[in-house]
Amino acid sequence: MFIKRLIIKETKPALEIIREIPFVKGMNFIVDAGKDQEKGNSVGKTTVLKLIDICLGAKDRKYIYFDDETKQTNEKLKNYIIGNKVNVELIVVESFDDKNSSEYILSVDLYPRGKRYINGIEMSQNDYWQQLNVIFFSNLANYPTFRQLINMFVRIDQRADNHKFLKFLHRTNDATYENIYSYLFELQDQEVSNYILDLRKEIAEKNKEIKNFMSLNNFKSIDSVNQKVTLLESTVDELNNQMNILVNSRKFKENEEKISEIKIEYANYNDQIDELLFKRMRINDILTDAKHEINNGIDKVVLRNLYDETLEVMGNLHKEFEDLVKFNDELIHNKIKYFSSQLEKVDNKIGGLEKDKNRLFEKHKNVIMLIEENKIDEYTSLQSKLAEYNEELGSNKNIRSTYNQLEGRVAELVEELDKTEKEADVKEDSLSIFNKYFSQYSEKTNGEPFMLYKTEKGFPFGIDYVKRGLSTGTRKSIIAAFDLAYQRLAKDLEKKAPNFIVHDVIETIDQVALKAIINIVNSIECQYIVAVLKEKIQDNDLIQKSNIVVTLSENERPFRN
């Protein structure tokens, strides 16, 4: 797909096109003809690139008038966009040469709560992204996502020479990058690649769950829990032995069958009480957390962000923000009410069981343990200790069981991942094809050839020299060579992908590299769309008038404001 046209228009008070920028095959320069050519004069050349990105699904429309670095808002531009209900359209086309080729109009309202449309059909944010994935990549599985893929073609956050250009996404793990590159370079069957990514994500989630579980239960190693269980079991056995010593053996023999029945009944009471005591402890923890949340107050900033994001994704909501705050408050109070009720029920059950147990003991205390009259106090003390240790033992066994289940699941996932990776066929041909072009193009732009290689661990790819030479370029020119090499690879693989590259700021690229880039672009039937200072391209005989798609200045900015 090529970019054919960018249209900015006011929709209020009347529909009026305020700027129309046509694009062509080959080089497309967005020129800054401002007075201060050394620093650039903020005339809006980057804004044009941002508008392209917004039409391609970028979420943050406010960055048209908000500077994330200085945290300053251009109030005049913001008010103009909102007051005039400004909309931007990007027309993309399958081919410039075939008049019957597919054409799509991607339209986005720039004002808050504005809509997104494809060919006039309103879409939610997620549906918009999914449809773009089909239009630009024929990626019906939507895996990787469109925004994960398009960022390799639209690089507008490159403020300086960036040595991490292979990592073109924010806060993305290595497994996701491997899946993205596998898709773009066709390194393995995509279903297998997606399955591997899912396994790695689940392993990461389970490991995080284990870490949180260990933190919640205050242990750093399962061995410490195992040691606790062993010591507690030993202590419980010792207490039972001490209690058994207090039993009169002669009378025990005489009443052995009856004692056995009563002991079983008595033990059942203890087991039920232990389970309820553990349940009560958990409920108290939940109530403490909920009351702490009420005392600290609701974080309305977080709720506001959640509300605004949901509003943006879903469109019109039937509830106001205050309803969300009220609902969240009621949710916490209902939670406290529910668990308080549960706590009362548990306490009642414990009380009932304690009464039944004590009634049994009183009724059969001369038989139940056949305690000598002068040993009752000692027996009661041992009984109390035994209950405490049994409760602690039950808690630690529960912790150990849960931990072992989580670790067992991780082990299963790791085994499945190892098996899948060993059976997966990795195709090296596409990487070799890519490096053929990358080494040629980088030598032309930088004076030395580079290559892309697969790493053994960590981030899946790295870049290295093919041979050392006299480097005359910058990282920017390497990025250009890399992206242009991918354009050639996609054509060789007959892979559907954007036929354009969008770059910001090429002032650090020298004239030799710039001429090399222009010649490469003209040879491979793609678009290279870039913002540039006027002085950078004047007197360049390779640049035609049609290559300058728009010239901006202090008096000629993208918007009429």
Side-chain angles (χ1 to χ4, degrees):
M1 299 297 293
F2 294 88
I3 294 176
K4 182 178 180 181
R5 195 173 303 274
L6 181 74
I7 301 171
I8 306 171
K9 56 187 177 181
E10 297 174 356
T11 64
K12 185 181 178 182
L15 182 64
E16 181 181 358
I17 293 175
I18 58 174
R19 183 169 293 281
E20 190 168 353
I21 303 174
F23 293 89
V24 296
K25 274 197 299 186
M27 297 300 300
N28 290 260
F29 290 104
I30 298 164
V31 179
D32 178 349
K35 296 176 182 178
D36 192 345
Q37 287 288 293
E38 287 189 11
K39 297 180 180 179
N41 210 28
S42 299
V43 299
K45 63 182 186 299
T46 303
T47 299
V48 174
L49 303 182
K50 287 181 178 179
L51 289 172
I52 293 174
D53 197 29
I54 286 171
C55 289
L56 294 174
K59 184 178 179 181
D60 296 318
R61 290 174 281 192
K62 70 177 182 180
Y63 288 110
I64 293 297
Y65 49 79
F66 177 76
D67 190 319
D68 194 40
E69 291 183 5
T70 64
K71 306 301 180 185
Q72 297 294 313
T73 298
N74 184 333
E75 294 293 344
K76 184 179 179 183
L77 178 56
K78 177 183 176 181
N79 293 334
Y80 167 75
I81 288 173
I82 295 173
N84 293 276
K85 300 292 184 184
V86 177
N87 170 277
V88 61
E89 282 185 358
L90 189 71
I91 301 174
V92 295
V93 63
E94 195 81 46
S95 170
F96 275 108
D97 302 321
D98 183 0
K99 293 182 179 180
N100 296 319
S101 67
S102 300
E103 183 174 291
Y104 299 91
I105 301 174
L106 314 178
S107 177
V108 178
D109 296 329
L110 297 180
Y111 46 89
R113 303 184 185 181
K115 308 297 183 182
R116 294 175 174 84
Y117 309 85
I118 295 180
N119 290 343
I121 300 174
E122 181 183 332
M123 294 189 175
S124 68
Q125 186 178 78
N126 287 333
D127 289 343
Y128 191 80
W129 286 338
Q130 282 189 314
Q131 192 61 34
L132 292 182
N133 218 347
V134 175
I135 292 171
F136 287 93
F137 295 98
S138 293
N139 185 4
L140 296 171
N142 199 38
Y143 210 3
T145 68
F146 176 74
R147 289 302 300 174
Q148 287 175 338
L149 294 171
I150 197 64
N151 275 277
M152 200 183 87
F153 301 84
V154 181
R155 302 178 187 267
I156 61 171
D157 195 22
Q158 307 290 319
R159 293 294 177 185
D161 287 342
N162 186 351
H163 67 288
K164 293 183 178 180
F165 69 86
L166 290 177
K167 297 183 177 183
F168 46 80
L169 300 170
H170 295 295
R171 296 186 296 275
T172 302
N173 59 44
D174 295 340
T176 300
Y177 272 116
E178 184 159 6
N179 180 253
I180 292 168
Y181 278 105
S182 176
Y183 178 88
L184 290 171
F185 285 78
E186 295 190 356
L187 295 178
Q188 60 187 190
D189 180 82
Q190 197 56 35
E191 286 189 11
V192 174
S193 178
N194 292 344
Y195 182 53
I196 289 173
L197 177 62
D198 286 339
L199 287 172
R200 288 179 174 171
K201 283 182 176 179
E202 191 173 352
I203 290 170
E205 288 170 0
K206 286 297 178 187
N207 282 327
K208 185 178 180 180
E209 189 176 345
I210 290 172
K211 185 178 179 181
N212 291 337
F213 180 76
M214 292 173 72
S215 175
L216 181 65
N217 290 282
N218 198 28
F219 70 97
K220 295 182 179 180
S221 168
I222 192 61
D223 185 59
S224 66
V225 178
N226 289 331
Q227 292 299 324
K228 280 184 182 180
V229 170
T230 300
L231 290 171
L232 287 167
E233 286 178 335
S234 175
T235 302
V236 167
D237 288 342
E238 178 62 26
L239 288 170
N240 280 320
N241 287 335
Q242 291 180 36
M243 293 172 70
N244 287 335
I245 291 172
L246 300 179
V247 175
N248 184 302
S249 59
R250 181 180 63 80
K251 291 185 177 180
F252 179 86
K253 290 293 183 182
E254 292 175 357
N255 299 274
E256 186 172 4
E257 184 174 341
K258 187 175 183 181
I259 290 171
S260 177
E261 291 175 358
I262 295 171
K263 285 183 71 175
I264 290 172
E265 187 177 356
Y266 194 77
N268 283 337
Y269 280 126
N270 282 330
D271 289 342
Q272 291 179 63
I273 290 170
D274 287 343
E275 288 180 9
L276 288 170
L277 287 171
F278 183 75
K279 187 174 182 180
R280 183 172 68 182
M281 181 180 69
R282 289 300 187 197
I283 292 173
N284 279 324
D285 288 342
I286 292 170
L287 286 171
T288 300
D289 291 343
K291 289 173 182 177
H292 178 73
E293 187 174 348
I294 287 178
N295 292 335
N296 287 347
I298 300 170
D299 191 338
K300 292 189 177 180
V301 175
V302 173
L303 282 179
R304 170 58 71 180
N305 290 337
L306 173 63
Y307 181 84
D308 289 343
E309 288 182 9
T310 305
L311 190 63
E312 184 171 344
V313 173
M314 301 299 297
N316 188 29
L317 296 176
H318 299 294
K319 298 292 182 181
E320 298 297 327
F321 172 69
E322 290 71 18
D323 295 327
L324 177 61
V325 175
K326 182 180 178 182
F327 173 76
N328 190 74
D329 185 63
E330 289 175 350
L331 190 65
I332 296 171
H333 282 87
N334 287 339
K335 182 178 181 181
I336 292 174
K337 183 178 179 181
Y338 171 76
F339 281 102
S340 295
S341 172
Q342 293 297 109
L343 182 61
E344 184 179 351
K345 290 179 182 179
V346 170
D347 284 336
N348 290 337
K349 286 182 181 179
I350 292 173
L353 288 169
E354 288 284 3
K355 285 180 181 179
D356 292 341
K357 185 182 78 169
N358 291 334
R359 192 179 299 116
L360 180 70
F361 182 81
E362 288 299 322
K363 183 178 179 181
H364 300 287
K365 66 179 179 181
N366 60 333
V367 175
I368 200 168
M369 290 298 182
L370 298 173
I371 308 299
E372 295 177 5
E373 291 181 4
N374 60 344
K375 299 292 186 178
I376 280 286
D377 291 342
E378 184 179 349
Y379 177 80
T380 303
S381 175
L382 288 172
Q383 186 185 42
S384 178
K385 285 184 180 180
L386 184 62
E388 291 176 6
Y389 278 100
N390 271 325
E391 182 178 354
E392 186 68 19
L393 178 60
S395 174
N396 279 275
K397 282 185 174 180
N398 196 318
I399 290 170
R400 182 173 65 178
S401 174
T402 303
Y403 178 87
N404 288 338
Q405 287 176 7
L406 291 170
E407 280 287 356
R409 179 56 182 159
V410 170
E412 291 174 2
L413 291 168
V414 169
E415 184 179 355
E416 177 66 14
L417 177 62
D418 290 342
K419 178 184 175 184
T420 305
E421 288 183 328
K422 287 177 182 178
E423 293 175 352
D425 293 326
V426 177
K427 306 171 187 175
E428 300 292 346
D429 290 349
S430 58
L431 204 58
S432 300
I433 296 170
F434 174 81
N435 279 326
K436 179 180 72 173
Y437 297 123
F438 185 34
S439 61
Q440 291 175 10
Y441 295 167
S442 56
E443 187 165 24
K444 291 177 181 178
T445 60
N446 280 62
E448 54 189 351
F450 287 86
M451 66 176 186
L452 182 71
Y453 66 92
K454 190 88 169 61
T455 60
E456 294 295 326
K457 59 181 180 179
F459 189 78
F461 290 96
I463 286 179
D464 201 357
Y465 301 94
V466 176
K467 67 178 182 66
R468 286 283 182 176
L470 181 62
S471 178
T472 59
T474 64
R475 288 284 176 179
K476 285 282 196 252
S477 50
I478 298 176
I479 296 172
F482 182 93
D483 289 349
L484 290 167
Y486 183 78
Q487 289 290 320
R488 282 300 302 267
L489 173 68
K491 285 178 172 56
D492 286 2
L493 296 178
E494 296 183 354
K495 185 173 185 65
K496 188 168 183 180
N499 297 104
F500 54 80
I501 300 165
V502 180
H503 283 185
D504 183 19
V505 187
I506 61 167
E507 274 63 50
T508 56
I509 294 179
D510 62 26
Q511 288 298 324
V512 173
L514 180 58
K515 288 182 178 180
I517 290 170
I518 294 171
N519 284 324
I520 295 168
V521 169
N522 290 335
S523 71
I524 62 175
E525 293 275 314
C526 74
Q527 290 176 298
Y528 190 93
I529 301 169
V530 63
V532 66
L533 293 174
K534 181 179 179 181
E535 68 170 17
K536 185 72 178 181
I537 61 171
Q538 60 188 12
D539 302 325
N540 191 317
D541 54 4
L542 292 177
I543 299 174
Q544 305 297 317
K545 186 177 181 180
S546 61
N547 297 130
I548 300 174
V549 295
V550 64
T551 301
L552 303 171
S553 66
E554 290 83 357
N555 297 320
E556 190 67 23
R557 299 176 187 271
F559 296 97
R560 187 171 64 189
N561 67 302

